[in-house]
């Protein structure tokens, strides 16, 4: 879904009272004059798997908006913008819920608050995160505390993370959004990223966004542990043979 537009909601798709499933898809450059630059989920149920939302924009909810049930797994939400409101990546609205699993939310922005995720201004148990990476949101990642199920990474300390395995004020060391294999673009975890082998294997998807098997031993310590976010770092060793001369 590329460069679609709408006057009010859901520049790419508006789901109203329906059951929507999205997989292995890309939403890029879509816009809305209201909310939900790429996807608006009004009072329905939407499940997103293995997909990338990049460079979408709206007044509020530049990437995705929900007042229904929204679950996002193994996906990348990158570079989306709320141009005159809140929720650059995600916009939560009353009666909605958001569940994020092994998802990368990176470099989204809002003119008001909730650059990565707008939670409504107060502690919000209807938004849950597990094995999820939230980083470089502007002016902040979250506007209020959300519910952690553990092993998440917040590049600042604005999402109220405090469960087992959570990491705050950590630079995730991500590569550019690009073709790293698979059907959709991703941000690779660079060498030394604190997200490598820092997830929880319980509930971790069997593959990453690209279809690469999880878990792998990304830090080469002998343990196979799921990474935080949508990208699983390969267990590759460099082998160098000496040059022999006669």
């Amino acid at each position: 879904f590329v460069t679609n537009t709408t006057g009010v909601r859901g520049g790419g798709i508006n789901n109203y009272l329906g059951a929507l499933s999205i997989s292995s898809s890309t939403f890029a450059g879509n816009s809305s004059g209201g909310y939900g630059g790429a996807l608006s989920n009004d009072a329905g149920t939407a499940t997103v798997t293995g997909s990338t939302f990049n460079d979408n924009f709206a007044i509020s909810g530049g990437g995705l908006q929900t007042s229904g049930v929204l679950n996002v797994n193994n996906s990348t939400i990158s570079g989306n913008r709320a141009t005159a409101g809140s929720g650059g990546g995600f916009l939560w609205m009353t009666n909605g819920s958001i569940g994020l699993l092994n998802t990368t939310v990176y470099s989204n922005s809002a003119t008001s608050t909730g650059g990565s995720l707008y939670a409504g201004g107060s502690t919000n148990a209807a938004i849950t995160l597990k094995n999820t990476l939230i980083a470089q949101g502007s002016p902040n990642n979250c506007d209020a505390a959300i519910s952690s199920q553990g092993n998440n990474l917040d590049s600042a300390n604005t999402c109220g993370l405090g469960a087992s395995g959570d990491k705050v004020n950590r630079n995730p060391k991500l590569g550019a959004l690009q073709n790293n294999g698979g059907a959709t673009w991703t941000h690779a975890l660079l060498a030394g990223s604190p997200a490598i082998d820092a997830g929880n294997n319980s509930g971790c998807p069997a593959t990453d966004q690209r279809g690469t098997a999880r878990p792998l031993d990304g830090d080469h310590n002998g343990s196979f542990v799921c990474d935080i976010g949508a990208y699983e770092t390969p267990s590759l060793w460099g082998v160098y043979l000496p040059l022999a001369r006669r």
Side-chain angles (χ1 to χ4, degrees):
F1 294 77
V2 179
T3 62
N4 300 286
T5 188
T6 187
V8 179
R9 58 193 181 191
I13 295 177
N14 174 225
N15 181 45
Y16 187 79
L17 296 175
L20 173 67
S21 178
I22 297 170
S23 63
S24 301
S25 299
T26 296
F27 290 72
N30 303 287
S31 64
S32 169
Y35 54 82
L39 171 64
S40 173
N41 181 54
D42 287 309
T45 298
T47 301
V48 177
T49 305
S51 297
T52 294
F53 292 73
N54 169 244
D55 195 31
N56 303 285
F57 59 96
I59 291 176
S60 292
L64 303 89
Q65 169 274 340
T66 189
S67 50
V69 178
L70 174 64
N71 292 303
V72 181
N73 308 318
N74 255 347
S75 294
T76 297
I77 317 299
S78 176
N80 303 286
R81 311 182 304 282
T83 57
S86 301
F90 291 90
L91 175 69
W92 174 89
M93 296 177 71
T94 303
N95 298 322
S97 67
I98 299 174
L100 303 182
L101 173 65
N102 279 99
T103 287
T104 297
V105 185
Y106 182 70
S107 193
N108 301 280
S109 64
T111 55
S112 181
T113 191
S116 297
L117 193 156
Y118 177 73
S122 59
T123 300
N124 193 332
I127 303 173
T128 60
L129 306 182
K130 182 174 182 177
N131 289 353
T132 288
L133 188 159
I134 298 184
Q136 310 305 326
S138 177
N140 48 20
N141 283 324
C142 302
D143 67 303
I146 53 185
S147 180
S148 172
Q149 297 179 344
N151 300 89
N152 303 293
L153 185 152
D154 178 356
S155 65
N157 190 9
T158 61
C159 298
L161 303 183
S164 176
D166 283 342
K167 300 176 182 292
V168 298
N169 291 318
R170 302 292 295 275
N171 179 355
K173 298 183 179 179
L174 298 186
L177 184 68
Q178 63 183 20
N179 182 3
N180 293 307
T184 51
W185 286 17
T186 53
H187 289 284
L189 299 176
L190 303 179
S193 169
I196 295 174
D197 283 14
N200 189 327
N201 288 348
S202 176
C204 182
T207 65
D208 73 355
Q209 182 174 338
R210 303 167 299 151
T212 297
R214 293 184 191 263
L216 297 174
D217 180 16
D219 62 4
H220 309 145
N221 70 351
S223 298
F224 286 69
V225 181
C226 183
D227 291 350
I228 295 175
Y231 180 93
E232 186 76 6
T233 302
S235 301
L236 297 178
W237 290 89
V239 178
Y240 301 92
L241 299 177
L243 176 64
R245 290 185 177 180
R246 295 177 61 183

